Amino acid sequence: MQLHWHRRDLRGADNRALAAAAEAVDTDGTDGVVSLFVFDDAILEHAGAPRVAYLLDALADLRAWYRDRGGDLLVRHGDPAQVVVDVAESVDADRVVWNKDYSGVARERDAAVRQALADADIARESFHDAICHEPGSITTNDGDPYSVFTYFGRKWHDRQKDEPYPAPDADSLADSDALGVDAGSVPTLADLGFDEPEADLLTAGTEAARKRLERFCEDGIYRYESDRDYPTRNSTSRLSADLKYGTIGIREVYWASEDAKADASDEEREEIEEFQSQLAWRAFYTHVLWFNPEVVSQNYKEYANEIEWENDPELLAAWQDGETGYPIVDAGMRQLRAEGFMHNRVRMIVASFLTKDLLIDWRKGYDWFRAKLVDHDTANDNGGWQWAASTGTDAQPYFRIFNPMTQGERYDPDAEYITKYVPELRGVDPEIIHGWHEASPTQRHNAAPDYPAPIVDHSERREQALAMFEAARGED
């Protein structure tokens, strides 16, 4: 018997470890593949309700996929180092396989499971699966990991990508009726100690992910580079949560984008290659996390002195609630609450605003995103936050500070995105919305009496941010 341990690979197709388990069944004639998912409190401790809700739906979809084929997905709750061994022994597994994860917490968990299996004399093997090229496979000429994306990205594009791995056929799955073990139930949010999320989430599961990918490759991918920064143009894939939980494989996504190139013009191929570069960015940040696990809580970039963040709790609360008086910022923060998602350009705007206008530590923003985003990914989110805060790899220079008014005017000129999420501003002239910081109290009251005035002056805070970073650089 082969036991496959699912974690961030909640799919049957293009799953490297699962394919390897099925291949072993075909090769050595063992009893089949049985799969397992373990709810681990050490992981749940860092989770938010939107992510857990999405996870539960994805698990239900995956279990149905197995059962449709005569197999099953076992579900347990506990310490994986104990649970995986117990399940392996109960099904008389010859080997346990899983796909690697890259955060520090995940690596500690996997090391403990590996040791427990070794102590129980059960064979085990882990596989690289989540990104196209595993950490350590793309390095400088001296063999060091990259800290600059440009050079990493060139090599990423040049490397051959694996084809998607085949899904196991029904004959390779263990007969669920013959297993002789309790499959366990998929818990509810309440069972796990979470409230229902306030966000309205996308449908989880492989079929839903494939539909999103298909729609994207029919339209948005051909204008991705031109339109991706405009939140109302619907040119992004919306696959971020699917890639985070692995309800679709990275190779399946990459090769679908390659297929889209086949009928594309030269200009359209450039648009598609920009989308592929976003897959490369995900890989880059995963490599950074692998070699620098401390970046989850520490600045990647070293400064001569500590950055003296102000961390005003009232300003933080206004940012979290979408009540800053900066329309594009508030729209983004309210989209986050409403959907568990935020458009990528807007993520950069709200992150810059928190760190450079409100002078609040990026870790406060990272923690809020971790609690509210469905697609929170440790590597990707940490990389994005540290980029915005000028503390990370390839970071935005500290003296380049997003102007939230011009960002809104440039990327949402008609205020369609803003007014979708900030109803107090519906019916207000876009010129007034984008000039809200300059409007008089009387103008604001007449235009939108329920929408707040700006909580800080951007010009003043920009100067304070520059001074804060210059002091950190030792330039007093």
Side-chain angles (χ1 to χ4, degrees):
M1 187 76 71
Q2 299 281 309
L3 177 63
H4 175 256
W5 176 28
H6 279 285
R7 294 95 62 75
R8 284 184 52 186
D9 57 342
L10 304 183
R11 64 188 184 278
D14 193 20
N15 184 319
R16 188 175 178 185
L18 184 58
E23 184 179 7
V25 170
D26 295 337
T27 300
D28 63 20
T30 56
D31 294 331
V33 178
V34 62
S35 289
L36 168 70
F37 184 88
V38 182
F39 285 93
D40 178 2
D41 287 330
I43 301 297
L44 290 171
E45 181 182 344
H46 301 284
R51 274 190 291 142
V52 178
Y54 196 86
L55 164 64
L56 294 176
D57 288 346
L59 277 175
D61 180 81
L62 180 62
R63 171 171 270 184
W65 183 90
Y66 276 110
R67 290 180 173 177
D68 286 346
R69 290 158 179 77
D72 210 345
L73 174 68
L74 309 183
V75 177
R76 299 289 188 269
H77 190 162
D79 180 357
Q82 182 64 51
V83 172
V84 174
V85 172
D86 289 347
V87 172
E89 291 178 336
S90 69
V91 300
D92 196 22
D94 300 296
R95 181 177 66 153
V96 179
V97 299
W98 64 87
N99 290 312
K100 295 178 182 178
D101 204 348
Y102 302 107
S103 72
V105 172
R107 289 161 70 177
E108 290 175 5
R109 172 201 60 198
D110 293 359
V113 171
R114 191 176 291 107
Q115 184 61 56
L117 288 168
D119 292 343
D121 198 25
I122 299 171
R124 61 264 162 216
E125 189 171 2
S126 59
F127 296 83
H128 164 74
D129 176 77
I131 51 178
C132 289
H133 306 294
E134 65 183 307
S137 64
I138 297 180
T139 62
T140 68
N141 293 337
D142 293 331
D144 298 321
Y146 278 105
S147 60
V148 176
F149 173 75
T150 303
Y151 305 109
F152 176 94
R154 289 173 185 166
K155 289 186 178 180
W156 186 95
H157 278 285
D158 289 342
R159 297 286 174 89
Q160 180 64 30
K161 310 293 185 291
D162 289 347
E163 295 286 339
Y165 291 91
D169 58 40
D171 291 339
S172 65
L173 300 177
D175 186 334
S176 58
D177 294 331
L179 283 175
V181 296
D182 179 18
S185 60
V186 176
T188 65
L189 279 167
D191 292 336
L192 297 173
F194 291 89
D195 295 328
E196 289 290 333
E198 58 184 313
D200 185 13
L201 309 180
L202 291 178
T203 303
T206 297
E207 188 61 30
R210 283 177 167 165
K211 288 180 180 178
R212 284 189 276 274
L213 177 61
E214 182 180 359
R215 285 194 297 268
F216 177 60
C217 288
E218 288 174 349
D219 179 25
I221 198 169
Y222 295 105
R223 49 189 176 82
Y224 182 81
E225 182 176 23
S226 302
D227 288 358
R228 69 188 179 95
D229 282 327
Y230 297 84
T232 61
R233 293 188 183 179
N234 297 319
S235 66
T236 58
S237 70
R238 289 303 303 265
L239 289 170
S240 54
D242 302 304
L243 291 172
K244 184 270 183 302
Y245 277 114
T247 52
I248 196 167
I250 190 69
R251 291 156 296 275
E252 184 172 344
V253 173
Y254 174 80
W255 285 105
S257 70
E258 280 292 292
D259 289 342
K261 277 187 182 180
D263 299 321
S265 66
D266 289 344
E267 289 183 0
E268 289 173 334
R269 288 175 66 87
E270 291 180 3
E271 305 274 352
I272 295 168
E273 286 168 2
E274 181 58 33
F275 169 72
Q276 292 175 335
S277 288
Q278 299 310 304
L279 302 181
W281 269 106
R282 294 183 71 89
F284 174 67
Y285 283 140
T286 300
H287 285 222
V288 171
L289 179 64
W290 175 264
F291 289 107
N292 307 274
E294 71 282 355
V295 297
V296 174
S297 58
Q298 298 178 26
N299 295 338
Y300 178 90
K301 183 177 180 178
E302 293 185 2
Y303 283 87
N305 302 310
E306 288 290 322
I307 301 172
E308 296 295 333
W309 305 106
E310 293 191 2
N311 290 334
D312 185 313
E314 292 185 4
L315 295 182
L316 175 62
W319 177 83
Q320 291 171 336
D321 293 338
E323 296 285 350
T324 69
Y326 284 87
I328 191 70
V329 173
D330 293 339
M333 299 307 295
R334 296 190 197 187
Q335 182 186 23
L336 177 61
R337 282 185 178 271
E339 301 174 7
F341 175 82
M342 191 189 302
H343 184 275
N344 189 59
R345 164 58 61 171
V346 186
R347 294 188 198 203
M348 291 190 284
I349 295 170
V350 304
S352 177
F353 187 82
L354 182 76
T355 56
K356 306 293 178 62
D357 284 75
L358 303 186
L359 309 182
I360 291 175
D361 193 329
W362 63 266
R363 282 161 279 232
K364 303 287 188 182
Y366 173 81
D367 287 346
W368 187 251
F369 271 30
R370 183 175 62 186
K372 295 298 182 182
L373 279 174
V374 172
D375 63 18
H376 168 76
D377 176 278
T378 301
N380 220 41
D381 264 10
N382 182 269
W385 270 101
Q386 293 225 44
W387 179 89
S390 303
T391 61
T393 62
D394 245 1
Q396 177 88 326
Y398 77 93
F399 50 82
R400 290 184 184 167
I401 298 174
F402 279 16
N403 182 316
M405 293 85 69
T406 58
Q407 288 285 313
E409 189 171 16
R410 181 179 304 156
Y411 295 111
D412 188 29
D414 296 325
E416 293 176 62
Y417 174 80
I418 290 169
T419 53
K420 178 178 180 179
Y421 296 103
V422 184
E424 305 97 301
L425 293 173
R426 290 173 189 166
V428 178
D429 190 308
E431 287 190 15
I432 295 176
I433 292 174
H434 296 308
W436 194 252
H437 61 295
E438 295 176 335
S440 69
T442 299
Q443 289 173 316
R444 291 190 192 118
H445 177 77
N446 290 338
D450 296 325
Y451 185 65
I455 58 174
V456 294
D457 182 288
H458 171 71
S459 297
E460 292 178 0
R461 300 297 279 195
R462 182 182 186 280
E463 295 306 313
Q464 289 178 249
L466 291 174
M468 181 180 73
F469 276 94
E470 286 165 0
R473 287 163 54 89
E475 297 178 3
D476 286 348

